[in-house]
Amino acid sequence: MRSQEFLKKHGKILVPVISTVISILIFVMALYVPEAIILVFAIPVIIFILMHYSGIYRFKPRFFGGLIVLIIMLLVVAGIYSTDFYHSSGVTTTSENQTYMETIISPFTQTSGYYNITVKTNYTGNINSSYINIVSSNYNKIYNYSSGEHETIGSYRLTYYHIKLPPGLYTVYFNISKKLYMESIGPVNVSAFTLYVYYIYAMADKYIIFLGILYIAGISIAYFMQKGNLNNNQLKK
C-alpha cells in the first residue's frame, strides 16, 4: 500500500506528528464530552501501532519517540485545559433532591484576591445556618464563612459573600445541610502561567505517567517477543 510505504519512508517525522495530533484531539474531545476521557488510555496503543506500521521496531526509537509524543502532548493539552479553565464563567449549577443550587464567583480569575460569591437556591427550608467552606488546593487550608447577606427573588433565595483570599487555587463548598451541598471549582487567584504549570503537574500525575508506564510495558513486551522469535529462528537453522 502506498500509504504504508509513505509512512515507512517518513516514519521518523510522521509518526510523532500524527500520534501527537491524535492524542491532543482525544483530550480536547474529552474537554467537551467528559465520557470520552476513557479514550485517553488508547493513546499508547495508537503510538505503538503507528510505529509498527512505519517500520520502527527497535526499542530505543520506540521509547524516545513515544516519550517525545507524551511530553509534547502534555505541554499542549495543559495549555488548552488551563486556558479554557482560566476563562470560564465561574458559574456552577446542580440539582439534588429537587433542590436547585447555583454558585456564581465574580471575578472568577483575579490576582487582587477580592471576590464576590453568590449562592442561589430554591430550597424552602431554613438557610440561615447555611455556610460556605473555601478550600485551598495548594495549601490544604480551609476558610469558613457562616454569615452572608440574604435576599429573596421570586422562588429563589440568594446569599452574598464578599471575601478576600491570598494567592492560590480554591474550591468552594456551599452547605445547606450535611446531605445537601454543592462543590464549585474556583476562584483562581494565580496568574495564567502559574495555572498552566499547575495543570502540567496535575495532568502528568493523573494521566501522562500512567500512559508512559503502559507504553513502556507494551514496547518492552514486544521487544522481548521479537527477540525470542529471532532466537527461535536461529536455533531452527
Side-chain angles (χ1 to χ4, degrees):
M1 294 177 65
R2 291 183 178 180
S3 58
Q4 187 172 349
E5 292 176 359
F6 184 80
L7 188 61
K8 284 185 176 181
K9 185 176 180 181
H10 305 281
K12 290 183 179 180
I13 296 175
L14 288 179
V15 169
V17 171
I18 296 173
S19 301
T20 302
V21 171
I22 293 175
S23 302
I24 291 171
L25 288 176
I26 289 174
F27 270 103
V28 172
M29 187 190 306
L31 186 63
Y32 299 100
V33 185
E35 294 78 9
I37 196 66
I38 192 68
L39 297 176
V40 165
F41 299 103
I43 290 174
V45 179
I46 293 171
I47 300 173
F48 179 86
I49 291 174
L50 285 171
M51 288 198 174
H52 176 78
Y53 281 100
S54 66
I56 302 175
Y57 302 119
R58 296 176 61 188
F59 182 83
K60 284 186 177 180
R62 281 181 171 179
F63 175 81
F64 288 109
L67 187 65
I68 290 171
V69 170
L70 291 176
I71 290 174
I72 294 175
M73 177 186 67
L74 170 62
L75 297 177
V76 174
V77 172
I80 294 172
Y81 273 54
S82 62
T83 301
D84 179 80
F85 182 63
Y86 200 80
H87 295 288
S88 58
S89 64
V91 178
T92 304
T93 61
T94 187
S95 293
E96 187 174 342
N97 298 327
Q98 297 182 337
T99 298
Y100 175 82
M101 291 178 285
E102 177 180 306
T103 302
I104 304 169
I105 302 172
S106 178
F108 184 67
T109 53
Q110 180 172 296
T111 54
S112 70
Y114 291 95
Y115 302 94
N116 298 310
I117 299 178
T118 303
V119 178
K120 180 180 179 181
T121 181
N122 63 351
Y123 183 67
T124 56
N126 184 12
I127 64 169
N128 291 330
S129 58
S130 65
Y131 62 94
I132 60 171
N133 282 332
I134 303 177
V135 181
S136 171
S137 302
N138 42 344
Y139 295 113
N140 294 321
K141 190 171 181 179
I142 300 175
Y143 301 88
N144 181 278
Y145 294 87
S146 57
S147 61
E149 302 170 13
H150 298 283
E151 181 183 9
T152 299
I153 300 179
S155 59
Y156 291 100
R157 303 159 84 181
L158 288 78
T159 306
Y160 305 98
Y161 299 91
H162 308 286
I163 63 174
K164 186 179 187 306
L165 296 169
L169 301 171
Y170 298 94
T171 302
V172 175
Y173 295 90
F174 170 56
N175 301 268
I176 295 178
S177 64
K178 290 183 179 180
K179 295 183 179 180
L180 198 57
Y181 62 91
M182 73 173 296
E183 174 185 342
S184 306
I185 304 299
V188 177
N189 189 9
V190 296
S191 67
F193 179 75
T194 301
L195 184 65
Y196 172 59
V197 173
Y198 174 83
Y199 261 87
I200 289 176
Y201 283 103
M203 297 194 70
D205 181 63
K206 190 172 184 179
Y207 296 111
I208 307 303
I209 292 176
F210 183 68
L211 294 179
I213 293 172
L214 286 179
Y215 179 72
I216 292 171
I219 62 175
S220 297
I221 292 171
Y223 171 76
F224 287 114
M225 288 179 64
Q226 290 171 359
K227 193 172 182 181
N229 291 334
L230 182 61
N231 290 335
N232 290 334
N233 291 334
Q234 289 177 346
L235 289 174
K236 289 178 181 179
K237 291 180 180 180

